[in-house]
Amino acid sequence: MRFRPLHDRVMIRRVASEGRTAGGILIPDTAQEKPMEGEIVAVGPGARDETGKVVPLDVKPGDRILFGKWSGSEIKLDGEDLLIMTESDIMGIVERPAVANKKAA
């Protein structure tokens, strides 16, 4: 099934959380919180401003983002758990620096 968000809404897939603490302790599934990081799957065309002009979104499919714990609406689409939220619910884009390829001398 295909789904296209409307206006300034985005569809997000949560990123799987790590099941261990930094010290190596396993955290059971029942004690884990839902991750607040996700990957954008689809975006709407944008919101309209006061003049009626469509303002495109700052995010695009594939972006890794952070969002609030209670943001968005959970949906199930083709058996996959996804979130739908407005762009204003997104706190920021996670940018990972590109690792330079270094040749061993």
Side-chain angles (χ1 to χ4, degrees), residues 69-87:
K69 184 181 269 189
W70 308 109
S71 298
S73 299
E74 294 183 356
I75 63 164
K76 191 167 223 148
L77 193 61
D78 289 338
E80 185 177 14
D81 291 327
L82 300 166
L83 284 169
I84 301 240
M85 66 181 67
T86 60
E87 185 184 33

Side-chain angles (χ1 to χ4, degrees), residues 98-105:
V99 178
N101 292 334
K102 294 182 181 179
K103 294 183 180 182

Side-chain angles (χ1 to χ4, degrees), residues 36-77:
M36 295 184 301
E37 183 176 349
E39 179 181 351
I40 296 190
V41 177
V43 299
R48 295 196 180 269
D49 63 8
E50 300 83 31
T51 63
K53 180 181 167 195
V54 175
V55 179
L57 303 180
D58 289 330
V59 294
K60 62 188 177 309
D63 283 349
R64 294 280 287 245
I65 53 126
L66 294 177
F67 52 88
K69 184 181 269 189
W70 308 109
S71 298
S73 299
E74 294 183 356
I75 63 164
K76 191 167 223 148
L77 193 61

